[in-house]
Amino acid sequence: MLRWIRQQLGVDPPHQSDTRTIYVANRFPQNGHYVPQRFADNRIISSKYTIWNFVPKNLFEQFRRIANFYFLIIFLVQLMIDTPTSPVTSGLPLFFVITVTAIKQGYEDWLRHKADNEVNGAPVFVVRSGSLVQTRSKNIRVGDIVRVAKDETFPADLALLSSDRADGTCHITTASLDGETNLKTHYSVAETSVCQSVSQLEALQAVVECQQPDADLYRFVGRITVTQDEEEIVRPLGQESLLLRGARLKNTKEIFGVAIYTGMESKMALNYKCKSQKRSAVEKSMNTFLIIYLGILLFEAILSTILKYAWQAENKWDEPFYNQKTEQERNSSPILKFISDFLAFLVLYNFIIPISLYVTVEMQKFLGSFFIGWDLDLYHEESDQKAQVNTSDLNEELGQVEYVFTDKTGTLTENEMHFRECSINGVKYREVNGKLVPEGMNDDSPDGCTPQLIGEELLFLKAVSLCHTVQISYDQPDDLGGGGDPFSHANGFSSNNMEYYASSPDEKALVEAAKRIGVAFTRCSGETMEIRTFGKSEKYKLLHLLEFDADRRRMSVILQTPSGGKVLFTKGAESAVLPFTTSGEIEKTRLHVDEFALKGLRTLVVACRHFSPEEYADVDKHLSTARTALQQREEKLQEAFNYIERDLQLLGATGVEDKLQDKVQETIEALRLAGIKVWVLTGDKHETAVSVSLSCGHFHRTMNILELLQQRSDNDCAEQLRRLARRINEDHVIQHGLVVDGASLSLALREHEKLFMEVCKNCSAVLCCRMAPLQKAKVVRLWKTSPEKPITLAIGDGANDVSMIQEAHVGIGIMGKEGRQAVRNSDYAIARFKFLAKLLLVHGHFYYIRIATLVQYFFYKNVCFITPQFLYQFFCLFSQQTLYDSVYLTLYNICFTSLPILVYSLFEQLVHPHVLQNKPGLYRDISKNSLLSFRTFLYWTLLGFCHAFIFFFGSYILMGEDTSLMGNGQMFGNWTFGTLVFTVMVITVTLKLALETHFWTWMNHFVTWGSIAFYFIFSLFYGGIIWPFLHTQDMYFVFVQLLSSGSAWFAIIIIIITCLFPDVVKKVFYRHLQPTSTQKSQMYSNHVAIGDDFIALQPLSRAKSQLGKISLYRPPRRRPSAVWSPCAATNTGRAAAPAWPASWSR
């Protein structure tokens, strides 16, 4: 138990050494000196709380919030000293907020516990005591041999021992880990692959040594020592031998594997890392306003305390005849009395700090986030994917974005590759009807006649067909007999029914192109790779695979040819291959690669190297030494790869097209009109990147393109930056675009950061090419921390985009073809780049306006609430007498005024969504946090003070001295006066919100008028009954008396009109004389909203006939631009809306 506690506290980690030793089947040495290592169990724990620590841990987290901690202090002060209000007035709202938040967090954690129990309790089969035993997943221990059947997920990280296949391989899919749906082949070592039965596995004597667990999904270093006939055989284990927890077994009947990493030490669990907490600009403004209001509170409390003692300087007020002091009060310390009075005033005015603001904001964000997922315009029908929200804390930040940093491949493009051109031995070819045609020649060969490629062309196609990691899936044909081409079957499967699966879409496109041309990759079984060259089968033996990595930017295979020779095929980026070539048409190929890039094609260079027997023996030795190393294996492998991949013969290059996504150009243009600058950060070479930027509208044809490329030194980089700055200043009329490569960017950021930022700020668009993933994050961080501190958004689809997605204020993942790592690490996820326009221009606009008004309104209504309490002290000798009843103090923020602002913050729409999308310039109206600027904050605060003065003095003038308002001549008392002020206040602040509401739904009407009605009903019920559990009931019959007075009703109406009439006049005045662009658009949106609602309620035939009538609302001499996006009101509306008349162009 003590050890478990130490582990939970992190002072006793389960393992200490750099490596772990695992005895297969837990067959430990029998000598007495062996001390077994301690490993984690196989339980997955994603929950945050347990039944024992929920209360203390949750309370600790909640009281870290300043407002909650402040109200706790106030509550404790009320308990310790004699204060004018009951502790219930602070305790009950605090209890309500804490309870609601705890229930929400507890429920979310209960769901996590439920999911954990389902995973941990899943049935699994392990080999124990010579038999196959069924147990639960959580009971798997490191060293257990686990059996996994087809289509089952791996319950822990397993090292593959054997499978039902003779070669000991298996196929898996890692879609749940990285989103890649392609089949991946994993291998077992030859010594264990023969152990395919339980009895053989029970007799297996093997020890696995490997690294301690880390979060890298694509890295595993280990070795297995198998003892056979008292001889120890050592074999390396790499990533190809590790079956990750969460991956699924495919196309294999069953496998056996030994558990290497279990539970929270598995690679999947280690990737459950907590992202850094992002805070929105609204939340930062809210905290600033809270501090200002805390200052107002302290000022009012100190001023009231000083005035109390100034007033009591006269004896007649210090100790009047009707309130004589006790002996203890006369002898008490003046300092303690001053502190006590200060704390009492602090308690009296404490409601100026809105405690319920936090819980309302949380509810608004949580409930409001569902609208993104429900938006049918953000649903992608082809992939059946809807937008998803991973964090709701940043909804309003979508309306404040100033910079968008986007990846290119898979984000702006489809990541669907199509082979277009190639260069072989210095000659350009293109594919026409499944044939390679040299440049300048037409396809005039007769149909059915396939040209026989020879020499370099054939070697190039063989290299393309063999240098890859593509997997093949066969579909069994219905009838293998009955004629047909006798050579069209490979191992009983038709080559026409083959489907290729690849982790890289480029590889798949190239292998498919080679197959169309006549060199088909037909089989990969263990170490054998088979191709069919124009009908003739050739078998190659795969000797070594030199995997692709981001540093080398190339991959290679070493093969044994059918004639027995050894050959290396390499393909990769031209900058990673051409420097290592010594023969071939290098310069011509380089020119062709640049031409392909200018056309926007993705380029790869292909080369080869033939080994003599002595050279191959040396290469094999280098690779074997590097792969069996336990320490610094990656570095040694890199050295070995670089040693092998040299003295290459250049074969040619390929050009593959990546199609642009739909409406990318329109989306980028809309973002530009909204005042958002778009940066493209890509790893492609600059010619390809510039071509795509031009085609997608990121760069305009009329734009002056500036270049900061291939800078070799700091001085050269600085001089080039100064030249660019002078060009921009000399020609400031034309728009400029900047192209930067990764190497030059590193130099620019090292010494000349300010100069580089100055150049970038004056450019309309920036393109960064040849970027490493960490460089992308560095660029985002540079602008995020610049003096202007703009709000940044990063969007990408691949694992290489995760760092910039996490670095930006808002991270958006594209549900693309490069896996799900970007989606998992993002704040929001969408299926296509085009959806970004609506996400920002519509949802971002709405969320920001809603929450900005919510925050300002909360402070306004609390100023209205507490200021009369402060003014009342001037009329009661600062005796700390409360103006309102304790129940009213408690329920004001919880019941009487809470629901209208919550519903407003969920449904408000200043402008119709269609207008926002078609007038992107409206996004500028809310930029720079304009609705939460200090000027706006000051307006709402002063408005609150003005209304509070009118509430108090309006009621006071009406109920001045010698004024009888009852029919029987009876005078009103202080509780009636306070209730009158409170009644006027509740109605006024509710109607003030109604004036701010532009988009009325039945729910707005229900909560607005319902809140006022509820206040009246509650007050009549509360004051009309003698409640036995209340020790005093000051409010008995007070409200009934107040409502029975016609003068009181007259006062209520007059005061409300006095408060709200100037607001109405101001709105009308500004709307007609100084309207904003948003207000100008509202009349259009009203027409659109009427049309939408009207059409959505009609039958389809009638709706179509009504569509044309809406065009009557168009201004004269304006032509329509783009078609309205579909109306989501009803299915009928969605069916009719594609024919919707257009918005008006700017």
Side-chain angles (χ1 to χ4, degrees), residues 380-397:
H380 190 244
E381 192 169 358
E382 293 176 17
S383 60
D384 190 28
Q385 291 171 329
K386 63 179 183 178
Q388 68 184 55
V389 179
N390 296 329
T391 174
S392 60
D393 293 336
L394 303 171
N395 292 342
E396 65 277 8
E397 206 81 329

Side-chain angles (χ1 to χ4, degrees), residues 20 98 102 117 133 193 288 529 538 668 854 1007 1065 1071 1107:
R20 58 170 52 188
I98 295 295
N117 293 335
V133 179
S193 62
T288 304
M529 298 181 75
E538 296 181 17
I668 291 178
L854 183 151
V1007 297
V1065 172
R1071 181 174 288 271
L1107 287 169

Side-chain angles (χ1 to χ4, degrees), residues 934-954:
F934 187 76
R935 179 180 177 182
T936 313
F937 166 73
L938 196 61
Y939 163 76
W940 278 94
T941 301
L942 292 177
L943 184 68
F945 278 115
C946 290
H947 285 184
F949 273 79
I950 295 172
F951 299 155
F952 184 83
F953 288 107

Side-chain angles (χ1 to χ4, degrees), residues 48-215:
K48 191 175 182 180
Y49 306 106
T50 66
I51 194 170
W52 307 109
N53 70 8
F54 174 72
V55 173
K57 192 172 182 178
N58 187 265
L59 288 178
F60 172 75
E61 289 175 349
Q62 292 208 55
F63 284 118
R64 289 167 65 186
R65 280 186 166 173
I66 295 175
N68 290 349
F69 184 72
Y70 161 77
F71 271 89
L72 176 65
I73 297 298
I74 293 294
F75 176 66
L76 294 177
V77 168
Q78 287 178 295
L79 290 176
M80 289 187 293
I81 67 171
D82 182 23
T83 55
T85 57
S86 166
V88 175
T89 58
S90 293
L92 189 60
L94 179 63
F95 176 78
F96 173 76
V97 170
I98 295 295
T99 303
V100 168
T101 307
I103 290 172
K104 172 180 171 285
Q105 294 177 350
Y107 173 71
E108 291 174 348
D109 204 62
W110 175 76
L111 293 177
R112 287 191 285 266
H113 271 284
K114 189 177 177 182
D116 289 346
N117 293 335
E118 188 175 337
V119 171
N120 294 330
V124 295
F125 287 92
V126 297
V127 177
R128 286 180 184 165
S129 304
S131 61
L132 206 57
V133 179
Q134 183 175 357
T135 184
R136 293 186 175 184
S137 175
K138 65 181 180 181
N139 297 327
I140 294 176
R141 299 169 297 174
V142 171
D144 279 346
I145 298 177
V146 183
R147 192 204 77 170
V148 180
K150 182 180 178 181
D151 291 328
E152 290 181 353
T153 57
F154 302 113
D157 289 351
L158 309 175
L160 179 61
L161 295 177
S162 66
S163 72
D164 65 312
R165 298 168 181 255
D167 56 5
T169 61
C170 71
H171 297 298
I172 71 167
T173 177
T174 57
S176 61
L177 297 175
D178 56 15
E180 294 182 3
T181 57
N182 58 290
L183 296 179
K184 298 177 180 177
T185 305
H186 284 247
Y187 306 88
S188 60
V189 299
E191 286 72 21
T192 64
S193 62
V194 296
C195 302
Q196 297 183 347
S197 66
V198 174
S199 58
Q200 289 174 310
L201 289 166
E202 183 64 22
L204 178 65
Q205 293 185 9
V207 179
V208 175
E209 295 173 89
C210 63
Q211 66 187 96
Q212 294 291 4
D214 65 7

Side-chain angles (χ1 to χ4, degrees), residues 796-807:
D797 72 317
N800 60 332
D801 303 315
V802 168
S803 54
M804 76 167 179
I805 285 173
Q806 291 183 331
E807 183 63 45

